[in-house]
Amino acid sequence: MAAIAATKKVKKSGADKAFQFMLYLLSIALLILVVYPLYFVVIASFSDPSAVASGQVWLWPKEFTLDGYEEILKHSEIWIGYRNTILYTVAGTIFAMIVNIFAAYALSRKDLVGRRFLMLLFIFTMFFNGGLIPTFLTVKDFHLYNTYAVMIVPFAVSTYNIIVARTFFETTIPEELNDAAKIDGCGNLRYFFKIVVPLSKAILAVIGLWTAVGLWNSYFNALIYLKDADKYPLQLILRNILITSNMQMSFGSGEAMQIAIRLSNLMRYSVIIVSTLPIMCFYPFVQKYFNQGVMIGAVKG
């Protein structure tokens, strides 16, 4: 009888149903607020700019056109930008993961001498830095200026990522595992790669996603530390295309100016899609680890 009673559903009161209904409404409203701006950018990139400006575009594309994408893809440097951005994102993510995860694991070990002092040094850099000019001089002194490495090496360390990963290791990896591994003759490196890393897929996915998105969208470092156009990432190349389009619009006249204005307005939305679509396609592959890694890594032990 007890088993039968346990299987029966708990009857909800009217207040509970009303509260649940309000939660559903609030969730749907928040979803619309988040998703609709993204959806609008997509349909606006396929619509005539005059229809977008007049407010006719809000649910479906109006006067469907691919002129914005065609104009962007006419530029051969787009593919150079994609190549460079993929290189910076893949190599930069791998290098940053190695640096930050190793640092986080070391700082999570209670037998590390001076770990609190080292952690304070890391945290200090979150609030104080030398500024742009000293950083630029340092990059030049290390002969990294105008090299591919300048987009990968100098800015790989992220104190925030180290703190999140360190907290994950402290709260999730039991110290007893290390003791058992030592009894079996397992060294520190073998223990890290054979035991810690397989148990840390969630936080590795989260840190990797944060790093990859940051590198994919980065353009300021390229603007400051790169001078050769063949090393520019996609974001900087798209920025230059928009600037060139606006300049043509400013110096045009008559019908040519109207065409330039139309293309410029179209390209604003198309550029967003071209630059963000690849990294958005990457997100579903790590989504299942994302929430778990954030929540565990954010709880202080």
Side-chain angles (χ1 to χ4, degrees):
M1 295 295 294
I4 295 175
T7 58
K8 292 183 178 179
K9 294 183 179 180
V10 177
K11 187 176 181 181
K12 296 180 180 179
S13 65
D16 291 335
K17 291 181 179 179
F19 180 71
Q20 189 175 25
F21 178 73
M22 293 301 296
L23 284 180
Y24 283 138
L25 284 182
L26 179 61
S27 299
I28 293 172
L30 291 175
L31 180 64
I32 293 174
L33 288 174
V34 172
V35 173
Y36 181 74
L38 301 177
Y39 176 71
F40 177 79
V41 170
V42 174
I43 61 176
S45 68
F46 293 107
S47 303
D48 187 85
S50 58
V52 177
S54 61
Q56 300 179 36
V57 177
W58 62 278
L59 192 58
W60 305 108
K62 293 288 186 180
E63 300 180 32
F64 186 87
T65 178
L66 295 174
D67 291 349
Y69 293 98
E70 291 176 358
E71 185 66 22
I72 291 174
L73 297 179
K74 283 181 182 177
H75 299 266
S76 60
E77 59 266 30
I78 284 286
W79 309 112
I80 297 175
Y82 264 118
R83 181 202 65 189
N84 292 338
T85 297
I86 292 172
L87 170 64
Y88 297 146
T89 301
V90 174
T93 300
I94 293 174
F95 182 75
M97 289 282 287
I98 293 173
V99 172
N100 293 318
I101 296 301
F102 267 90
Y105 175 69
L107 291 168
S108 71
R109 293 293 300 270
K110 296 180 180 179
D111 55 348
L112 176 66
V113 178
R115 71 172 187 143
R116 292 186 180 277
F117 174 73
L118 292 173
M119 196 66 240
L120 286 175
L121 291 181
F122 277 104
I123 294 174
F124 182 84
T125 63
M126 296 181 69
F127 303 99
F128 303 97
N129 60 74
L132 181 60
I133 294 177
T135 303
F136 181 84
L137 295 175
T138 301
V139 167
K140 289 202 69 173
D141 289 342
F142 278 93
H143 305 288
L144 293 173
Y145 178 72
N146 197 36
T147 65
Y148 289 105
V150 76
M151 298 294 294
I152 300 171
V153 177
F155 311 100
V157 176
S158 170
T159 303
Y160 179 79
N161 289 347
I162 290 175
I163 292 174
V164 172
R166 183 206 63 171
T167 307
F168 178 91
F169 292 136
E170 289 179 343
T171 57
T172 307
I173 309 298
E175 189 64 27
E176 290 77 11
L177 279 178
N178 188 29
D179 297 335
K182 285 183 178 179
I183 293 174
D184 292 335
C186 183
N188 288 327
L189 283 178
R190 187 178 179 185
Y191 169 73
F192 177 77
F193 286 109
K194 294 291 185 180
I195 298 177
V196 175
V197 171
L199 294 175
S200 306
K201 291 180 181 178
I203 199 64
L204 293 178
V206 171
I207 300 299
L209 180 63
W210 287 346
T211 305
V213 170
L215 289 169
W216 184 274
N217 293 326
S218 176
Y219 79 94
F220 183 74
N221 288 340
L223 185 64
I224 300 299
Y225 303 112
L226 294 177
K227 67 177 181 179
D228 293 341
D230 60 347
K231 297 184 178 71
Y232 285 173
L234 177 65
Q235 308 294 342
L236 191 55
I237 288 176
L238 292 175
R239 171 184 175 272
N240 292 341
I241 291 174
L242 282 179
I243 291 175
T244 303
S245 176
N246 290 334
M247 290 178 62
Q248 292 175 351
M249 179 179 65
S250 300
F251 291 104
S253 59
E255 184 178 352
M257 184 175 181
Q258 294 299 321
I259 294 174
I261 292 174
R262 179 178 180 276
L263 286 176
S264 178
N265 292 333
L266 263 176
M267 288 169 62
R268 292 175 186 175
Y269 295 105
S270 304
V271 160
I272 297 174
I273 302 301
V274 169
S275 61
T276 58
L277 185 60
I279 198 67
M280 289 177 66
C281 294
F282 172 72
Y283 177 76
F285 294 100
V286 296
Q287 182 183 10
K288 62 180 180 179
Y289 300 111
F290 191 80
N291 292 336
Q292 179 187 355
V294 171
M295 293 306 297
I296 297 177
V299 177
K300 295 183 69 175

